[in-house]
Amino acid sequence: MLEARIKKLKEYSLRCFHHESFDDPKMAKEIMAEMPEIDAFNKSCSKVSKIKKSKINPEMIPCYESALLNFKQEQHLFRKMNYIKHCAKKIIDGFAGGSPTSAAVSRAEKLVAAYLELRNLISTCNFRLATQIMRHRKAIKEKTDTDTILSDAYVNVIKAVDYFNWTLGHRFSTYATWVVKKNYFRDCKHK
């Protein structure tokens, strides 16, 4: 049973962008703190969620599940997510050196679950960006397979979250826009 759990943990890509604060135990509390301006974010989310879903296209519904993040919130969430991946990777890499305990495996599973939750939050906050990009594409205007195109765009946003180097200090939206457009045009060439 323990071996199956370890095998599943090793399947996750825990590639992270390291920051010097990860090595300072005193910084852990600050890194793991709640997102800045959380009250304003929650208020924005409640406004967004009150939009009548019956008046919008079904493919747009994921865009109205969460509000947009500001730069400070975005940076905090990316640092927290990468720190969690860093901690989980350290535990999982330690499994190779000996017989892991059930407590260590449980700790790694909790960290991976926290990482996935943060990745999904960041992704959901940026789905509206992907939808806006795809709405301007020719295929969307012609109404050809809108669901497939949008689901591909959403998957690209989720993947972009894992590959975004937040340590450079850029906005995620710039990177995600590039990823979504690049993959869309690449897919169009192959069709």
Side-chain angles (χ1 to χ4, degrees), residues 158-173:
I158 293 167
K159 287 180 183 176
V161 171
D162 280 328
Y163 289 96
F164 177 64
N165 188 350
W166 64 279
T167 62
L168 299 175
H170 301 298
R171 286 298 308 248
F172 175 69
S173 58

Side-chain angles (χ1 to χ4, degrees), residues 64-78:
Y64 293 95
E65 291 177 2
S66 193
L68 300 174
L69 298 167
N70 66 32
F71 181 70
K72 191 190 266 187
Q73 292 167 334
E74 197 174 86
Q75 285 289 296
H76 175 79
L77 291 179
F78 272 105

Side-chain angles (χ1 to χ4, degrees), residues 149-165:
I149 292 168
L150 284 175
S151 66
D152 288 348
Y154 295 158
V155 168
N156 289 329
V157 169
I158 293 167
K159 287 180 183 176
V161 171
D162 280 328
Y163 289 96
F164 177 64
N165 188 350

Side-chain angles (χ1 to χ4, degrees), residues 8-183:
K8 185 172 173 139
L9 284 169
K10 288 183 178 181
E11 290 173 1
Y12 289 101
S13 172
L14 295 174
R15 176 180 178 267
C16 68
F17 291 95
H18 193 268
H19 189 263
E20 60 196 27
S21 62
F22 295 176
D23 299 322
D24 184 0
K26 295 175 189 169
M27 294 298 293
K29 191 172 184 177
E30 180 184 321
I31 294 169
M32 295 301 289
E34 275 195 12
M35 178 173 61
E37 302 167 22
I38 188 77
D39 294 334
F41 176 75
N42 289 335
K43 199 173 188 179
S44 295
C45 285
S46 66
K47 283 181 186 175
V48 167
S49 68
K50 286 180 184 172
I51 294 171
K52 293 192 178 187
K53 306 291 193 278
S54 59
K55 293 187 177 187
I56 60 174
N57 295 337
E59 67 268 9
M60 297 286 288
I61 290 175
C63 302
Y64 293 95
E65 291 177 2
S66 193
L68 300 174
L69 298 167
N70 66 32
F71 181 70
K72 191 190 266 187
Q73 292 167 334
E74 197 174 86
Q75 285 289 296
H76 175 79
L77 291 179
F78 272 105
R79 180 167 85 157
K80 186 175 183 176
M81 183 184 76
N82 280 274
Y83 177 70
I84 289 170
K85 287 198 287 186
H86 168 74
C87 293
K89 189 165 175 26
K90 273 173 62 174
I91 294 170
I92 294 167
D93 289 348
F95 294 163
S99 56
T101 64
S102 181
V105 173
S106 293
R107 175 84 176 122
E109 288 170 336
K110 285 179 184 171
L111 288 169
V112 168
Y115 144 64
L116 292 172
E117 186 178 320
L118 283 171
R119 184 188 73 177
N120 292 339
L121 172 63
I122 296 168
S123 300
T124 304
C125 290
N126 287 280
F127 282 163
R128 199 173 325 165
L129 166 75
T131 305
Q132 291 291 46
I133 294 166
M134 300 320 292
R135 284 176 72 192
H136 297 294
R137 300 290 140 233
K138 186 178 178 187
I140 294 292
K141 289 177 184 172
E142 294 173 358
K143 301 285 186 204
T144 56
D145 207 10
T146 306
D147 292 339
T148 302
I149 292 168
L150 284 175
S151 66
D152 288 348
Y154 295 158
V155 168
N156 289 329
V157 169
I158 293 167
K159 287 180 183 176
V161 171
D162 280 328
Y163 289 96
F164 177 64
N165 188 350
W166 64 279
T167 62
L168 299 175
H170 301 298
R171 286 298 308 248
F172 175 69
S173 58
T174 306
Y175 178 71
T177 300
W178 176 79
V179 168
V180 169
K181 285 182 177 180
K182 180 187 79 134
N183 287 320

